[in-house]
Amino acid sequence: MSPILDRAIAAQVDTVAADRRPGAHVGIVAPGGYGKTTLLQHLGTAVHAATGTEPVIALPPFDQVTDGVLLVDDAHQLDDADLRDLRRIATTTPVRLVVAARPWPRRGPVAELLDLVQDQLLLAPFDAAQVRAALPARLRTDRHAEFVHAQTGGVPAFVDRLARALDGELDVPTAALAGFHPELARLDESVLRFLLAAEAGVALNRDLLVDLLDTGPGATDISDVVEAARATGLVGTAGALVPIAQRAIRLLIPVERRAWIRQRLAELQLARGGPVLPLMRPLAGTGIGGDGAAAAFETAAAEALPTDPALAARLYAAAVTAGRAPVDVAARRAEALALAGDLDGALRLADQVITTDNAPDRRAAATVAAAALAHRGQLGRSAELYRWAGADHFAALGSIGVGELTEPVADDGPPTSLSSALSLMAQGMHESVVGRPMTALSTMVRAAATLEPVGRGVLLPDSPAALGALLALHYGELGTATSLLERATAAGTGGAPLATRHRLLLAWIAMARGDLTRAADGLAAARRAPSEPRDALFAVAIELGVARRAGDAAGLGRAWLQAGEAVLRHPVDLFTFLPLGELTVAAARVRDEGRVAAHLAEARALLARLGDPPLWAVPLWWGGLHAAIVAGQPDVAEEHAESMAKAAARDEQFGTVATAARCWLDVTAGTVDADAVEDAARGLQAAGFTWDAARLAGHAATRTADRTAMVRLLDCARVIQGKPVSTRRPSSDPEPAPEVSLSDRELQVAELVVSGLTYKDVGDRLFISAKTVEHHVARMRQRLGASSRSELLSQLRTLVGSGGVRE
């Protein structure tokens, strides 16, 4: 079969074949696998066709050849005497030589022979079109050609091997690698070492190769080995192995041989202070040992920690397997496990170090345990450990969380990005209790931005982004909260332990904005990771909140069953007031206030110890207000509204929730000022609390006897939710409009109907007959002026705050 040649080589072959001059010698030079033998035979055929001369494929000895065309293959393998004979024939007889050889080794006699050639054919790897032509007809597709070209580097012999073994799948079958075995077995030891170094990724590191190959300081010696390796065809021009050759080496060279080369390279690199992670990563599970391997594994683990803590943990374990004393790396291994999300493993190792008197890194182990305990809601114990370890910024954070205010500690070390971020975070938390909310939020935003470049590999009890988002949510700055969390998520701040927290807070923001679908999706994504008590508390609160806002009574009940365990597992701290406020409302809705009563009492006591900072108290006041309204406790609701009014006197930003609270109480009492309600709803919407805003307007619409006000407030609620307003308007008839307010029982029926329950199911829930439910629905349709069931359901969803229930 004719070789696949590009146009330039094909034209050169035709020219050379037609040349009849004696002594017009031809050289074919290329690495192994490039098709020299095939081209040599093709050229012989072309010579015969063009001149009628039958070329001779000659083998040593050559002393009897006197004329014609002599084809000589693999000239680089001939001994010096045979090469001298060929040179004599080329210079003293009319014989034309066509000599094929690899570019290396170019020892003297080979070079002298090739110096005589007048035409040299230099073969190159196949391009994509040539690869496609070399494939079987059934595999001549773009994706197969691209795959084979990428795997083989276009080396013709490798293309042929893969093409013969390929079964259609884009994978390299083992059968395609078997042909490399004899080639690898014939390699010189120094060339094989170079190839193993190339497989390890250090083929162009001259200093490492000098020591690995024991060739001495001369650059020529290294060049000889490199050129010999390239002449095999297994190595590309950049010193990297052709992918299929790399696969073959990994399959055919014993794993211990490859491991020893990598270990030796790592030891050499370690002595120079260079990175060893790329060399040691594949050896983590091989079980190699010795002091050098242990030191290399330990260094590689430290390199991996900022970007891949799970890998770092495996490398520290490999260091122990290699001979390092477990206690010597236990603290750093615990840190790696914690950053990877394995808090159980981290706590076990950290506790072992802390309780061993002569163990190194005891204080580092204490910070690991402290961070893990913070994620599990044990802020008091966390603060104690941080304080013992000298991590004063984190200790202050934990103390504030449990109601013990401490002054921020001045830094006495260099002002690194990390230390600056931690100092700002502590200052921001202190300011949130004793100072101005906006100053606290601004400080926390700066802390988050300062930490971003270095925060991926830092184990934190909480992130400035998460704490800043909490402050922003309490203060009605949802845009700031979203930005903080999205940037922290992109930067990977705090590793795996904080990734779930950031996702949950983003879901909370979506819920506050009334985007219940996004909130539910965010919750589902967050729950794919293991859940710590703090995250579990936020997760169940989001589930309750979504169900409540969707008017899903059944979902609310199911979520409440999970809430009990979440509440028990997490003690009260300052940073969980947001879910506690939601749990308070849910408890009132399911008539189980006793489950959260103790937590609410502890929360109030914690606030009192801190001087009742309004920024942190707002979620409890807001949740308490609505719980009291649901429970029919106007005096309690009034107390919460008064607290919000006092906060508004200190900071006008709190005026939004204070005004909305007062408006809600007035509406509940039967006083509906449409202007005041609409202003309050617009204020909540501007702060980002879209669902609460629409709910307030819808709630007021159910309580007014003025049809004009009802339609206006209903339209306000729908606009806030992003829905079209009703096209129906109240009649201009001067006669008094009938009363349109809905009773409490009718609101209960409305919530269950829009949740998708049948009249019978609604009746079973409320202990009334299905006929009575139908009667309530008919009265609501008449009062609201709905012309169809579809319009009625649409209006009821607005009135009861449903954002995503299907008709």
PDB file of all heavy atoms in Angstrom, residues 201-230:
ATOM      1  N   GLY A 201       6.829  14.659  34.058  1.00  0.00           N
ATOM      2  CA  GLY A 201       6.617  16.075  33.756  1.00  0.00           C
ATOM      3  C   GLY A 201       7.813  16.974  33.948  1.00  0.00           C
ATOM      4  O   GLY A 201       7.662  18.197  34.018  1.00  0.00           O
ATOM      5  N   VAL A 202       9.043  16.429  34.033  1.00  0.00           N
ATOM      6  CA  VAL A 202      10.221  17.279  34.266  1.00  0.00           C
ATOM      7  C   VAL A 202      11.269  17.096  33.162  1.00  0.00           C
ATOM      8  O   VAL A 202      12.457  17.284  33.394  1.00  0.00           O
ATOM      9  CB  VAL A 202      10.846  16.977  35.647  1.00  0.00           C
ATOM     10  CG1 VAL A 202       9.891  17.334  36.753  1.00  0.00           C
ATOM     11  CG2 VAL A 202      11.282  15.518  35.756  1.00  0.00           C
ATOM     12  N   ALA A 203      10.836  16.770  31.961  1.00  0.00           N
ATOM     13  CA  ALA A 203      11.779  16.462  30.890  1.00  0.00           C
ATOM     14  C   ALA A 203      12.651  17.649  30.507  1.00  0.00           C
ATOM     15  O   ALA A 203      13.740  17.464  29.949  1.00  0.00           O
ATOM     16  CB  ALA A 203      11.020  15.968  29.659  1.00  0.00           C
ATOM     17  N   LEU A 204      12.204  18.862  30.762  1.00  0.00           N
ATOM     18  CA  LEU A 204      12.979  20.041  30.367  1.00  0.00           C
ATOM     19  C   LEU A 204      13.726  20.673  31.536  1.00  0.00           C
ATOM     20  O   LEU A 204      14.301  21.752  31.389  1.00  0.00           O
ATOM     21  CB  LEU A 204      12.049  21.078  29.731  1.00  0.00           C
ATOM     22  CG  LEU A 204      11.365  20.632  28.438  1.00  0.00           C
ATOM     23  CD1 LEU A 204      10.534  21.770  27.864  1.00  0.00           C
ATOM     24  CD2 LEU A 204      12.381  20.162  27.416  1.00  0.00           C
ATOM     25  N   ASN A 205      13.732  20.024  32.710  1.00  0.00           N
ATOM     26  CA  ASN A 205      14.457  20.538  33.874  1.00  0.00           C
ATOM     27  C   ASN A 205      15.872  19.968  33.842  1.00  0.00           C
ATOM     28  O   ASN A 205      16.136  18.859  34.296  1.00  0.00           O
ATOM     29  CB  ASN A 205      13.738  20.144  35.169  1.00  0.00           C
ATOM     30  CG  ASN A 205      14.299  20.865  36.374  1.00  0.00           C
ATOM     31  OD1 ASN A 205      15.510  21.052  36.498  1.00  0.00           O
ATOM     32  ND2 ASN A 205      13.411  21.276  37.258  1.00  0.00           N
ATOM     33  N   ARG A 206      16.805  20.739  33.286  1.00  0.00           N
ATOM     34  CA  ARG A 206      18.154  20.237  33.041  1.00  0.00           C
ATOM     35  C   ARG A 206      18.859  19.838  34.335  1.00  0.00           C
ATOM     36  O   ARG A 206      19.537  18.803  34.396  1.00  0.00           O
ATOM     37  CB  ARG A 206      18.967  21.308  32.308  1.00  0.00           C
ATOM     38  CG  ARG A 206      20.385  20.880  31.981  1.00  0.00           C
ATOM     39  CD  ARG A 206      21.174  22.012  31.333  1.00  0.00           C
ATOM     40  NE  ARG A 206      22.522  21.578  31.036  1.00  0.00           N
ATOM     41  CZ  ARG A 206      23.502  21.499  31.922  1.00  0.00           C
ATOM     42  NH1 ARG A 206      23.269  21.828  33.183  1.00  0.00           N
ATOM     43  NH2 ARG A 206      24.712  21.098  31.565  1.00  0.00           N
ATOM     44  N   ASP A 207      18.714  20.643  35.383  1.00  0.00           N
ATOM     45  CA  ASP A 207      19.424  20.349  36.625  1.00  0.00           C
ATOM     46  C   ASP A 207      18.988  19.013  37.220  1.00  0.00           C
ATOM     47  O   ASP A 207      19.818  18.233  37.705  1.00  0.00           O
ATOM     48  CB  ASP A 207      19.185  21.469  37.646  1.00  0.00           C
ATOM     49  CG  ASP A 207      19.843  22.772  37.235  1.00  0.00           C
ATOM     50  OD1 ASP A 207      20.793  22.716  36.418  1.00  0.00           O
ATOM     51  OD2 ASP A 207      19.419  23.828  37.711  1.00  0.00           O
ATOM     52  N   LEU A 208      17.676  18.761  37.200  1.00  0.00           N
ATOM     53  CA  LEU A 208      17.194  17.478  37.714  1.00  0.00           C
ATOM     54  C   LEU A 208      17.692  16.322  36.863  1.00  0.00           C
ATOM     55  O   LEU A 208      18.074  15.267  37.378  1.00  0.00           O
ATOM     56  CB  LEU A 208      15.662  17.468  37.763  1.00  0.00           C
ATOM     57  CG  LEU A 208      14.985  18.316  38.837  1.00  0.00           C
ATOM     58  CD1 LEU A 208      13.473  18.177  38.721  1.00  0.00           C
ATOM     59  CD2 LEU A 208      15.436  17.885  40.220  1.00  0.00           C
ATOM     60  N   LEU A 209      17.717  16.512  35.536  1.00  0.00           N
ATOM     61  CA  LEU A 209      18.141  15.429  34.649  1.00  0.00           C
ATOM     62  C   LEU A 209      19.616  15.100  34.828  1.00  0.00           C
ATOM     63  O   LEU A 209      20.021  13.935  34.741  1.00  0.00           O
ATOM     64  CB  LEU A 209      17.870  15.807  33.194  1.00  0.00           C
ATOM     65  CG  LEU A 209      16.389  15.887  32.799  1.00  0.00           C
ATOM     66  CD1 LEU A 209      16.258  16.354  31.364  1.00  0.00           C
ATOM     67  CD2 LEU A 209      15.708  14.545  32.990  1.00  0.00           C
ATOM     68  N   VAL A 210      20.432  16.120  35.078  1.00  0.00           N
ATOM     69  CA  VAL A 210      21.867  15.873  35.290  1.00  0.00           C
ATOM     70  C   VAL A 210      22.068  14.907  36.439  1.00  0.00           C
ATOM     71  O   VAL A 210      22.818  13.933  36.355  1.00  0.00           O
ATOM     72  CB  VAL A 210      22.605  17.196  35.556  1.00  0.00           C
ATOM     73  CG1 VAL A 210      24.014  16.931  36.104  1.00  0.00           C
ATOM     74  CG2 VAL A 210      22.705  18.004  34.274  1.00  0.00           C
ATOM     75  N   ASP A 211      21.375  15.158  37.564  1.00  0.00           N
ATOM     76  CA  ASP A 211      21.518  14.282  38.732  1.00  0.00           C
ATOM     77  C   ASP A 211      20.843  12.932  38.513  1.00  0.00           C
ATOM     78  O   ASP A 211      21.346  11.893  38.951  1.00  0.00           O
ATOM     79  CB  ASP A 211      20.929  14.951  39.967  1.00  0.00           C
ATOM     80  CG  ASP A 211      21.793  16.111  40.454  1.00  0.00           C
ATOM     81  OD1 ASP A 211      23.000  16.123  40.146  1.00  0.00           O
ATOM     82  OD2 ASP A 211      21.261  17.006  41.147  1.00  0.00           O
ATOM     83  N   LEU A 212      19.679  12.944  37.857  1.00  0.00           N
ATOM     84  CA  LEU A 212      18.956  11.694  37.659  1.00  0.00           C
ATOM     85  C   LEU A 212      19.709  10.756  36.729  1.00  0.00           C
ATOM     86  O   LEU A 212      19.787   9.542  36.974  1.00  0.00           O
ATOM     87  CB  LEU A 212      17.567  11.985  37.092  1.00  0.00           C
ATOM     88  CG  LEU A 212      16.707  10.752  36.799  1.00  0.00           C
ATOM     89  CD1 LEU A 212      16.307  10.057  38.089  1.00  0.00           C
ATOM     90  CD2 LEU A 212      15.474  11.137  35.983  1.00  0.00           C
ATOM     91  N   LEU A 213      20.288  11.308  35.663  1.00  0.00           N
ATOM     92  CA  LEU A 213      20.935  10.470  34.647  1.00  0.00           C
ATOM     93  C   LEU A 213      22.408  10.242  34.927  1.00  0.00           C
ATOM     94  O   LEU A 213      23.063   9.484  34.203  1.00  0.00           O
ATOM     95  CB  LEU A 213      20.779  11.121  33.264  1.00  0.00           C
ATOM     96  CG  LEU A 213      19.325  11.394  32.830  1.00  0.00           C
ATOM     97  CD1 LEU A 213      19.304  12.074  31.471  1.00  0.00           C
ATOM     98  CD2 LEU A 213      18.538  10.100  32.791  1.00  0.00           C
ATOM     99  N   ASP A 214      22.946  10.951  35.944  1.00  0.00           N
ATOM    100  CA  ASP A 214      24.356  10.797  36.302  1.00  0.00           C
ATOM    101  C   ASP A 214      25.262  11.022  35.103  1.00  0.00           C
ATOM    102  O   ASP A 214      26.217  10.281  34.841  1.00  0.00           O
ATOM    103  CB  ASP A 214      24.628   9.388  36.875  1.00  0.00           C
ATOM    104  CG  ASP A 214      23.862   9.153  38.164  1.00  0.00           C
ATOM    105  OD1 ASP A 214      23.728  10.114  38.941  1.00  0.00           O
ATOM    106  OD2 ASP A 214      23.414   8.017  38.376  1.00  0.00           O
ATOM    107  N   THR A 215      24.979  12.071  34.341  1.00  0.00           N
ATOM    108  CA  THR A 215      25.767  12.345  33.134  1.00  0.00           C
ATOM    109  C   THR A 215      26.829  13.406  33.354  1.00  0.00           C
ATOM    110  O   THR A 215      27.559  13.736  32.425  1.00  0.00           O
ATOM    111  CB  THR A 215      24.844  12.825  32.003  1.00  0.00           C
ATOM    112  OG1 THR A 215      24.168  13.999  32.438  1.00  0.00           O
ATOM    113  CG2 THR A 215      23.837  11.755  31.635  1.00  0.00           C
ATOM    114  N   GLY A 216      26.874  13.984  34.545  1.00  0.00           N
ATOM    115  CA  GLY A 216      27.856  15.024  34.776  1.00  0.00           C
ATOM    116  C   GLY A 216      27.349  16.368  34.314  1.00  0.00           C
ATOM    117  O   GLY A 216      26.253  16.513  33.790  1.00  0.00           O
ATOM    118  N   PRO A 217      28.170  17.405  34.496  1.00  0.00           N
ATOM    119  CA  PRO A 217      27.714  18.772  34.229  1.00  0.00           C
ATOM    120  C   PRO A 217      27.683  19.156  32.760  1.00  0.00           C
ATOM    121  O   PRO A 217      27.149  20.190  32.411  1.00  0.00           O
ATOM    122  CB  PRO A 217      28.748  19.622  34.985  1.00  0.00           C
ATOM    123  CG  PRO A 217      29.986  18.780  34.974  1.00  0.00           C
ATOM    124  CD  PRO A 217      29.533  17.362  35.069  1.00  0.00           C
ATOM    125  N   GLY A 218      28.250  18.387  31.871  1.00  0.00           N
ATOM    126  CA  GLY A 218      28.318  18.793  30.468  1.00  0.00           C
ATOM    127  C   GLY A 218      26.972  18.790  29.787  1.00  0.00           C
ATOM    128  O   GLY A 218      26.256  17.797  29.817  1.00  0.00           O
ATOM    129  N   ALA A 219      26.643  19.917  29.117  1.00  0.00           N
ATOM    130  CA  ALA A 219      25.349  20.012  28.435  1.00  0.00           C
ATOM    131  C   ALA A 219      25.249  19.038  27.278  1.00  0.00           C
ATOM    132  O   ALA A 219      24.189  18.569  26.923  1.00  0.00           O
ATOM    133  CB  ALA A 219      25.129  21.444  27.945  1.00  0.00           C
ATOM    134  N   THR A 220      26.388  18.683  26.674  1.00  0.00           N
ATOM    135  CA  THR A 220      26.376  17.768  25.531  1.00  0.00           C
ATOM    136  C   THR A 220      25.838  16.402  25.919  1.00  0.00           C
ATOM    137  O   THR A 220      25.095  15.764  25.190  1.00  0.00           O
ATOM    138  CB  THR A 220      27.790  17.633  24.948  1.00  0.00           C
ATOM    139  OG1 THR A 220      28.265  18.923  24.576  1.00  0.00           O
ATOM    140  CG2 THR A 220      27.782  16.714  23.739  1.00  0.00           C
ATOM    141  N   ASP A 221      26.227  15.934  27.092  1.00  0.00           N
ATOM    142  CA  ASP A 221      25.784  14.620  27.531  1.00  0.00           C
ATOM    143  C   ASP A 221      24.266  14.572  27.667  1.00  0.00           C
ATOM    144  O   ASP A 221      23.622  13.614  27.248  1.00  0.00           O
ATOM    145  CB  ASP A 221      26.437  14.260  28.870  1.00  0.00           C
ATOM    146  CG  ASP A 221      27.941  14.066  28.743  1.00  0.00           C
ATOM    147  OD1 ASP A 221      28.378  13.698  27.643  1.00  0.00           O
ATOM    148  OD2 ASP A 221      28.660  14.298  29.728  1.00  0.00           O
ATOM    149  N   ILE A 222      23.692  15.595  28.276  1.00  0.00           N
ATOM    150  CA  ILE A 222      22.238  15.648  28.397  1.00  0.00           C
ATOM    151  C   ILE A 222      21.606  15.727  27.018  1.00  0.00           C
ATOM    152  O   ILE A 222      20.601  15.069  26.729  1.00  0.00           O
ATOM    153  CB  ILE A 222      21.812  16.862  29.251  1.00  0.00           C
ATOM    154  CG1 ILE A 222      22.176  16.618  30.709  1.00  0.00           C
ATOM    155  CG2 ILE A 222      20.321  17.123  29.125  1.00  0.00           C
ATOM    156  CD1 ILE A 222      21.380  15.531  31.363  1.00  0.00           C
ATOM    157  N   SER A 223      22.182  16.515  26.160  1.00  0.00           N
ATOM    158  CA  SER A 223      21.624  16.662  24.810  1.00  0.00           C
ATOM    159  C   SER A 223      21.623  15.332  24.068  1.00  0.00           C
ATOM    160  O   SER A 223      20.690  15.025  23.323  1.00  0.00           O
ATOM    161  CB  SER A 223      22.424  17.700  24.009  1.00  0.00           C
ATOM    162  OG  SER A 223      22.325  18.967  24.625  1.00  0.00           O
ATOM    163  N   ASP A 224      22.685  14.542  24.278  1.00  0.00           N
ATOM    164  CA  ASP A 224      22.734  13.231  23.630  1.00  0.00           C
ATOM    165  C   ASP A 224      21.535  12.380  24.045  1.00  0.00           C
ATOM    166  O   ASP A 224      20.895  11.735  23.202  1.00  0.00           O
ATOM    167  CB  ASP A 224      24.030  12.504  24.007  1.00  0.00           C
ATOM    168  CG  ASP A 224      25.233  13.081  23.275  1.00  0.00           C
ATOM    169  OD1 ASP A 224      25.019  13.851  22.331  1.00  0.00           O
ATOM    170  OD2 ASP A 224      26.362  12.748  23.671  1.00  0.00           O
ATOM    171  N   VAL A 225      21.245  12.359  25.342  1.00  0.00           N
ATOM    172  CA  VAL A 225      20.134  11.547  25.851  1.00  0.00           C
ATOM    173  C   VAL A 225      18.807  12.071  25.311  1.00  0.00           C
ATOM    174  O   VAL A 225      17.947  11.293  24.865  1.00  0.00           O
ATOM    175  CB  VAL A 225      20.126  11.526  27.386  1.00  0.00           C
ATOM    176  CG1 VAL A 225      18.916  10.754  27.905  1.00  0.00           C
ATOM    177  CG2 VAL A 225      21.406  10.903  27.924  1.00  0.00           C
ATOM    178  N   VAL A 226      18.650  13.390  25.329  1.00  0.00           N
ATOM    179  CA  VAL A 226      17.393  13.983  24.852  1.00  0.00           C
ATOM    180  C   VAL A 226      17.194  13.688  23.371  1.00  0.00           C
ATOM    181  O   VAL A 226      16.097  13.303  22.935  1.00  0.00           O
ATOM    182  CB  VAL A 226      17.374  15.499  25.122  1.00  0.00           C
ATOM    183  CG1 VAL A 226      16.148  16.135  24.486  1.00  0.00           C
ATOM    184  CG2 VAL A 226      17.393  15.774  26.616  1.00  0.00           C
ATOM    185  N   GLU A 227      18.258  13.848  22.573  1.00  0.00           N
ATOM    186  CA  GLU A 227      18.135  13.585  21.142  1.00  0.00           C
ATOM    187  C   GLU A 227      17.869  12.111  20.870  1.00  0.00           C
ATOM    188  O   GLU A 227      17.104  11.752  19.970  1.00  0.00           O
ATOM    189  CB  GLU A 227      19.408  14.036  20.421  1.00  0.00           C
ATOM    190  CG  GLU A 227      19.592  15.533  20.372  1.00  0.00           C
ATOM    191  CD  GLU A 227      18.451  16.243  19.690  1.00  0.00           C
ATOM    192  OE1 GLU A 227      17.839  15.655  18.770  1.00  0.00           O
ATOM    193  OE2 GLU A 227      18.130  17.377  20.083  1.00  0.00           O
ATOM    194  N   ALA A 228      18.491  11.254  21.660  1.00  0.00           N
ATOM    195  CA  ALA A 228      18.240   9.820  21.489  1.00  0.00           C
ATOM    196  C   ALA A 228      16.786   9.493  21.813  1.00  0.00           C
ATOM    197  O   ALA A 228      16.154   8.657  21.147  1.00  0.00           O
ATOM    198  CB  ALA A 228      19.178   9.018  22.397  1.00  0.00           C
ATOM    199  N   ALA A 229      16.225  10.151  22.829  1.00  0.00           N
ATOM    200  CA  ALA A 229      14.821   9.923  23.185  1.00  0.00           C
ATOM    201  C   ALA A 229      13.899  10.438  22.089  1.00  0.00           C
ATOM    202  O   ALA A 229      12.923   9.776  21.711  1.00  0.00           O
ATOM    203  CB  ALA A 229      14.503  10.609  24.513  1.00  0.00           C
ATOM    204  N   ARG A 230      14.235  11.588  21.531  1.00  0.00           N
ATOM    205  CA  ARG A 230      13.391  12.128  20.452  1.00  0.00           C
ATOM    206  C   ARG A 230      13.460  11.249  19.208  1.00  0.00           C
ATOM    207  O   ARG A 230      12.479  11.120  18.474  1.00  0.00           O
ATOM    208  CB  ARG A 230      13.834  13.550  20.120  1.00  0.00           C
ATOM    209  CG  ARG A 230      13.367  14.579  21.135  1.00  0.00           C
ATOM    210  CD  ARG A 230      13.855  15.952  20.793  1.00  0.00           C
ATOM    211  NE  ARG A 230      13.307  16.953  21.714  1.00  0.00           N
ATOM    212  CZ  ARG A 230      13.873  18.118  21.976  1.00  0.00           C
ATOM    213  NH1 ARG A 230      15.016  18.438  21.391  1.00  0.00           N
ATOM    214  NH2 ARG A 230      13.304  18.961  22.809  1.00  0.00           N
TER     215      ARG A 230
END
